[in-house]
Amino acid sequence: MADRKCLALIAHDQKKDDLAAFAKANEAVLAGWKIVATGTTGGRVLEACAGLDVTRLKSGPLGGDQQIGALIATGDVDCLIFFVDPLTPMPHDVDVKALMRLAIVYDIPMALNRATAEQLIDFRRS
């Protein structure tokens, strides 16, 4: 299925379990997507949903955020789900802001929490 859209998945440490649960609850829909994810997040998603097509990139702080940003800039990512933890300081906050800026600049639909991700998936389903 070469014409599948590409979905990027990222989650801060305190939100990785939430993203894996989201993926499990929406596994049938996500099966229609090509998925790229930062390293640990991708691993958690694959543990929850072994049948999904997930390409794991580097861990976010080690360059995974930038890898996804590059894919957005080249038009290879169609949608971004990034479960953000607003209560925990992030040492790589600059990378996170750069990724979000790219999603905005390139007009990529972006969800930052589960409620918005559910709406985004429902919208893309139809």
Side-chain angles (χ1 to χ4, degrees), residues 22 81 83 110-122:
F22 166 81
I81 295 176
F83 281 14
M110 174 176 50
L112 301 177
N113 60 32
R114 185 169 183 152
T116 309
E118 294 284 353
Q119 292 294 317
L120 191 57
I121 292 298
D122 284 343

Side-chain angles (χ1 to χ4, degrees), residues 7-30:
L7 172 66
L9 298 178
I10 307 171
H12 284 149
D13 289 345
Q14 299 302 318
K15 298 291 184 174
K16 290 186 190 315
D17 290 339
D18 293 342
L19 185 57
F22 166 81
K24 185 64 179 170
N26 292 284
E27 188 171 4
V29 175
L30 296 180

Side-chain angles (χ1 to χ4, degrees), residues 57-74:
L57 305 174
K58 293 186 180 291
S59 172
L62 299 178
D65 295 333
Q66 287 93 343
Q67 286 179 297
I68 289 178
L71 291 170
I72 290 171
T74 57

